[in-house]
Amino acid sequence: MSDTPFGFGLPPEEPEDGDEGKKKDQQSGGEQGPANPFGFGGMPGAGGFGGPGADNPLAAMFGSLNPTDLGAAFQQLGQMLSYEGGPVNWDMAKQIARQTVAQGTADGTKDASVGPSERKAVEEAVRLADLWLDDATSLPSGSASAVAWSRAEWVEATLPAWRELVDPVAERVGAAMGDVLPEEMQAMAGPLIGMMRSMGGAMFGTQIGQAVGVLAGEVVGSTDIGLPLGPARKAALLPANVEAFGKDLGVPLEEVRLYLALREAAHQRLFAHVPWLRSHLFGAVDGYARGIKVDTAKLEDVVGQFDPQNPEQLQDALQQGMFQPEDTPEQKAALARLETALALVEGWVDAVVHAAAKPRLSSADALRETLRRRRATGGPAEQTFATLIGLELRPRRLRDASRLWASLTDARGVDGRDALWHHPDMLPTATDLDDPDGFVHREQLDFSELDKMLGEAAGKPDLRKDAENDDKGDKGDKAGGDDTE
């Protein structure tokens, strides 16, 4: 991934006739290869850094194009500058993500449609995973369907979630671009501000498109980063990436697929039956966005010297970190809340999946450790967010959280452990992760009394009292009962 958070360039026209068209384009003099589609430094996993025009994005955009391509390039540049949507040009993001996926991964593997046999294998793996999880958690199945996605389908399915996550930060940065001018000058500089915001939206869109496109070549499902990126209640695996993940592990593909299906299905159960969890996680990102600070001094300097005929000047300013967020108390608090929540989610999934897989899969321990290291060392997903908005979605305390959930299972049973998800205030805190034994053996809350209060607040009958009366043979008035003997 590029170190430039919001670097941009112009994507080439994608040939209508696929690979043959690309060969013809290369023969006609095109210099930009698939590893560098935007005319400036590439990304790890997409061909490396540098390449033609890495220091001059506009030269790379136009210098190697023939007259026909140059006209198309200027047409796309006009579309970029005329963009009047939100803080991110999501049409551009989608286009670039799809192009990045079509170019293939660093190891040369291309995206391909998922075949019937692969879809059937994924469906069967998720179905079996759900059966195994029934013994490991009190939360019922959260997967209404199981799907096998290509990388392009993953991009299409997850873009709405990326939009929800990134827009708050991009909105804050976009607003800063108009706030740096004195109020009396803003009316006069309206076209300039509009142009800068359009370019800012394009820059965000380009970088996000690159990131999502590269990420699509490595994720194995819809919940790899601990957030629900796909549609609700739809367990998804990417067969090509599952195969690549297990390639050098020395574990049969069927076991790798099943273990990853267990993780995907466990995530789906948690997000389906803990209704506040998604908003809790996404809200932490929004809280971070509200605390973001832009280097207004540097931005003022750039705006004061900005030449509309020299747009690469803005690109240079971005490369120097004009929009690097500052560490504020608001951001630190939101980040701490997010990191703790991610650790608890990933720790619960890790503990539950291990309990389900250990008695049944000989490779359970090895696969567990591989996934733990992948998450702890910071994979592509964490790098994506760190580059885009300064957030590392890394469960730094995954092992601590997993150990705490396992201890809770031993001390309180599966039901007592999972009951903690009823409300965010019941969950362990970062301090509790430091002292898991203290939390586990702390005097337990009376969950039955809480359920009773919640039921009364909702105007529902006390079902527990009804059950007790039923056990005593009481045939009096009850919800749904009658007076007959």
Side-chain angles (χ1 to χ4, degrees):
M1 176 146 333
S2 170
D3 291 332
T4 306
F6 313 115
F8 76 104
L10 191 67
E13 288 289 307
E14 187 171 4
E16 295 181 357
D17 48 352
D19 291 338
E20 292 299 322
K22 293 178 183 177
K23 293 177 183 177
K24 294 177 184 177
D25 182 66
Q26 292 172 355
Q27 294 171 359
S28 67
E31 297 290 338
Q32 293 178 338
N36 188 12
F38 310 113
F40 64 103
M43 300 166 58
F49 292 90
D55 296 326
N56 187 345
L58 293 185
M61 283 186 202
F62 308 128
S64 62
L65 298 178
N66 59 41
T68 302
D69 292 336
L70 187 61
F74 274 115
Q75 182 180 8
Q76 290 196 16
L77 180 60
Q79 293 173 352
M80 179 182 73
L81 295 178
S82 63
Y83 172 72
E84 297 180 352
V88 177
N89 189 330
W90 286 103
D91 290 337
M92 180 173 287
K94 178 180 176 180
Q95 177 188 5
I96 292 175
R98 291 293 300 264
Q99 289 176 349
T100 303
V101 164
Q103 291 155 12
T105 56
D107 61 4
T109 61
K110 298 286 187 178
D111 191 26
S113 299
V114 179
S117 61
E118 292 173 316
R119 295 187 185 280
K120 182 178 180 181
V122 169
E123 291 171 357
E124 291 179 348
V126 172
R127 187 180 303 112
L128 182 57
D130 257 334
L131 288 176
W132 289 4
L133 287 172
D134 284 340
D135 296 332
T137 174
S138 62
L139 299 180
S141 174
S143 307
S145 62
V147 294
W149 283 339
S150 66
R151 294 164 182 167
E153 288 174 322
W154 183 90
V155 168
E156 295 280 353
T158 61
L159 272 180
W162 289 112
R163 182 169 190 164
E164 186 176 351
L165 287 165
V166 175
D167 267 353
V169 179
E171 182 71 42
R172 180 70 185 87
V173 172
M177 296 179 74
D179 293 342
V180 296
L181 290 178
E183 186 175 349
E184 60 273 12
M185 293 181 60
Q186 290 188 14
M188 299 174 58
L192 174 61
I193 295 175
M195 179 185 297
M196 292 182 63
R197 286 180 173 171
S198 295
M199 293 182 67
M203 293 171 196
F204 266 111
T206 299
Q207 186 68 16
I208 293 167
Q210 289 178 327
V212 172
V214 172
L215 191 57
E218 303 191 32
V219 295
V220 296
S222 70
T223 56
D224 281 32
I225 63 175
L227 294 174
L229 296 179
R233 293 180 174 271
K234 184 172 288 188
L237 292 179
L238 284 71
N241 294 355
V242 170
E243 183 176 356
F245 172 80
K247 183 178 180 181
D248 299 322
L249 297 181
V251 178
L253 177 59
E254 292 76 13
E255 290 195 22
V256 173
R257 184 192 300 116
L258 183 52
Y259 193 87
L260 295 176
L262 280 166
R263 290 183 53 85
E264 177 75 8
H267 277 103
Q268 293 295 334
R269 289 186 181 222
L270 196 58
F271 287 113
H273 299 292
V274 183
W276 56 265
L277 183 57
R278 187 183 191 278
S279 60
H280 180 75
L281 293 170
F282 281 61
V285 176
D286 185 66
Y288 171 88
R290 287 196 299 271
I292 197 171
K293 301 294 182 183
V294 179
D295 190 341
T296 54
K298 186 179 293 186
L299 185 57
E300 288 174 358
D301 182 62
V302 171
V303 172
Q305 303 179 26
F306 180 68
D307 180 3
Q309 297 182 356
N310 189 25
E312 67 267 26
Q313 182 184 61
L314 185 59
Q315 171 72 13
D316 293 338
L318 291 171
Q319 290 177 342
Q320 297 170 13
M322 180 170 62
F323 293 148
Q324 291 297 323
E326 299 175 359
D327 287 333
T328 64
E330 295 85 357
Q331 284 174 300
K332 290 180 179 179
L335 187 58
R337 183 163 62 102
L338 180 61
E339 287 182 340
T340 300
L342 283 173
L344 292 174
V345 169
E346 290 295 287
W348 183 88
V349 169
D350 179 82
V352 167
V353 168
H354 184 69
K358 176 68 172 176
R360 300 175 173 97
L361 293 179
S362 59
S363 58
D365 289 333
L367 290 170
R368 182 190 200 188
E369 186 60 28
T370 298
L371 267 299
R372 279 181 165 186
R373 291 181 179 180
R374 174 180 164 115
R375 291 294 282 126
T377 56
E382 292 80 5
Q383 295 169 10
T384 296
F385 264 78
T387 301
L388 289 175
I389 55 179
L391 282 175
E392 291 187 357
L393 295 178
R394 186 182 306 172
R396 302 176 186 275
R397 309 195 64 181
L398 167 60
R399 294 178 187 271
D400 292 336
S402 179
R403 194 176 302 115
L404 185 147
W405 288 118
S407 297
L408 281 168
T409 306
D410 294 337
R412 305 185 185 181
V414 169
D415 291 344
R417 177 201 66 198
D418 293 346
L420 292 176
W421 290 104
H422 284 177
H423 192 276
D425 290 344
M426 295 181 181
L427 288 179
T429 64
T431 303
D432 293 324
L433 293 180
D434 295 330
D435 181 22
D437 290 337
F439 180 84
V440 169
H441 298 294
R442 186 181 305 163
E443 184 177 353
Q444 299 183 36
L445 296 175
D446 188 348
F447 295 113
S448 62
E449 194 64 27
L450 177 63
D451 288 342
K452 177 182 176 182
M453 290 188 296
L454 292 175
E456 291 175 348
K460 297 178 181 178
D462 188 345
L463 299 181
R464 186 172 288 99
K465 183 176 180 180
D466 288 345
E468 292 174 355
N469 291 338
D470 187 51
D471 290 339
K472 295 176 182 179
D474 184 359
K475 300 299 183 178
D477 292 335
K478 295 186 209 173
D482 55 42
D483 295 331
T484 58
E485 289 290 334

